Amino acid sequence: MSEKIKMILDCDVGHDDAIALMLAAAHPQIDLLGICAVAGNQVVEKTLRNTLNVVQHLGLDIPVYGGMDRPMVRDQILAPDIHGESGLDGPVFGPLHTEAQKEHGVNYIIRALMEAEEKITLVPVGPLTNIGMALRLEPRIVDKIQRIVLMGGAFGLGNRSPAAEFNILADPESAHVVFSSGAPIVMMGLDLTNQALADMSVIERMEAIGNKAGKLFGDMMRFTFESQKRNGLSAGPVHDVTAVAYLVRPDLFQTRPANVEVCLDKGLCYGRTVCDMTGRTGKPQNALVGTGLDLEGFWDLVEENIRRLA
Ligand code: BDR
Ligand code: CA
């Protein structure tokens, strides 16, 4: 296997965020340098606590940083309807002894990139506030970013509004900073991530591994499964996991190059990722957009790596 991929995970843990974290921490080809929490699914105090809980529960030795507690411009929106009051309802964790690093997540991202000899891959799977702030504070980091592989947006329908996906709608201005930064971007939007469905057979398969990580997967996804069931669905998507999976197994994905622009007009389409895949606008391609997923290969990858954890 080639050299390890140096990566920073930026997340709003979150059920699918937690599984993305597990995959990133476990995969032998990934060097997970640090994890930053951002406000998104819940307020940052909760997403940070959830991150620390997962890290401690699995005995991981990865520094965790608290990041931005609100979007750059817009009023805050959260997602308790999807992830519960804690932001990670379902699993029960023991008392928390692990602490976050003192350094702010945005300062950490800047420092890690500026000090790095090799480029670093950023994997944001929540609102893009930390990354947008870092790019604004220290624009030189763009040259140190290997690429940004993010979960957010859609070329089709949204989920939080008819036009917009939650992570982008939660901070469209930061998303605009990221998409216009010039950094290479891979966008795992809803069109792709809605294919990454965990039905009951997947849940039972991960639980059958018999370790803490498999049980955590089950405790989290059973909660998601129940809330999906109330909406008449029999499976829940693990959106964020696809961004990490793409890093190590791009062969499982189909992508298309596009110009992606975030709509900042505060109307019906606020936060929409407008994806020009045909060159109609004449604007330069700034992202690879996920379109298709080999679901069997994806779950094999997740299982293989959950086995590697405690
Ligand atoms: C995104 O929103 C969050 O609720 C999930 O964690 C994912 O990052 C999907 O729209
Ligand atoms: Ca997320």
Side-chain angles (χ1 to χ4, degrees), residues 124-126 128 150-154 165-168 179 187-191 193 240 273:
V125 294
L128 288 159
L150 63 90
M151 189 283 134
E165 181 278 331
F166 175 79
N167 287 342
I168 305 297
F179 277 99
M187 173 181 130
M188 291 297 154
L190 291 174
D191 330 272
T193 65
D240 297 345
T273 45

Side-chain angles (χ1 to χ4, degrees), residues 14-234:
H15 297 71
D16 52 336
D17 302 75
I19 301 166
L21 192 166
M22 293 200 275
L23 178 57
H27 199 284
Q29 212 189 327
I30 294 179
D31 182 4
L32 183 53
L33 303 173
I35 307 172
C36 299
V38 68
N41 288 323
Q42 261 297 354
V43 294
V44 76
E45 291 77 14
K46 292 185 182 178
T47 61
L48 178 59
R49 189 178 176 81
N50 295 341
T51 308
L52 291 167
N53 270 329
V54 172
V55 165
Q56 176 182 287
H57 185 68
L58 298 175
L60 302 173
D61 184 19
I62 305 161
V64 175
Y65 300 80
M68 295 299 295
D69 71 346
R70 68 197 70 186
M72 234 186 236
V73 176
R74 68 156 300 156
D75 291 340
Q76 188 158 57
I77 55 167
L78 303 168
D81 48 326
I82 308 292
H83 298 273
E85 251 331 292
S86 70
L88 188 58
D89 279 12
V92 179
F93 296 101
L96 183 62
H97 308 297
T98 315
E99 282 186 13
Q101 304 292 311
K102 299 277 175 281
E103 188 177 19
H104 192 281
V106 173
N107 293 330
Y108 163 67
I109 292 170
I110 294 171
R111 181 176 60 77
L113 285 163
M114 293 308 286
E115 287 176 358
E117 280 167 19
E118 289 164 52
K119 290 188 177 186
I120 295 174
T121 300
L122 302 180
V123 181
V125 294
L128 288 159
T129 320
N130 286 342
I131 313 295
M133 287 298 291
L135 282 162
R136 278 292 191 253
L137 253 178
E138 180 45 276
R140 288 178 301 169
I141 61 172
V142 83
D143 296 328
K144 307 297 287 288
I145 298 173
Q146 180 71 32
R147 58 184 171 170
I148 300 174
V149 183
L150 63 90
M151 189 283 134
F155 59 80
L157 299 175
N159 57 359
R160 182 60 189 237
S161 82
E165 181 278 331
F166 175 79
N167 287 342
I168 305 297
L169 186 59
D171 193 345
E173 286 74 19
S174 289
H176 166 74
V177 171
V178 170
F179 277 99
S180 58
S181 67
I185 293 175
V186 180
M187 173 181 130
M188 291 297 154
L190 291 174
D191 330 272
L192 179 295
T193 65
N194 275 332
Q195 298 172 41
L197 291 170
D199 60 14
M200 199 39 86
S201 72
V202 169
I203 294 174
E204 287 169 353
R205 177 176 167 189
M206 300 306 161
E207 287 173 338
I209 296 171
N211 62 2
K212 273 190 186 178
K215 176 163 184 341
L216 179 57
F217 184 104
D219 292 349
M220 293 191 295
M221 290 314 291
R222 280 178 187 274
F223 174 86
T224 304
F225 187 83
E226 286 307 317
S227 61
Q228 296 287 329
K229 215 160 78 180
R230 285 192 289 277
N231 298 324
L233 303 168
S234 60

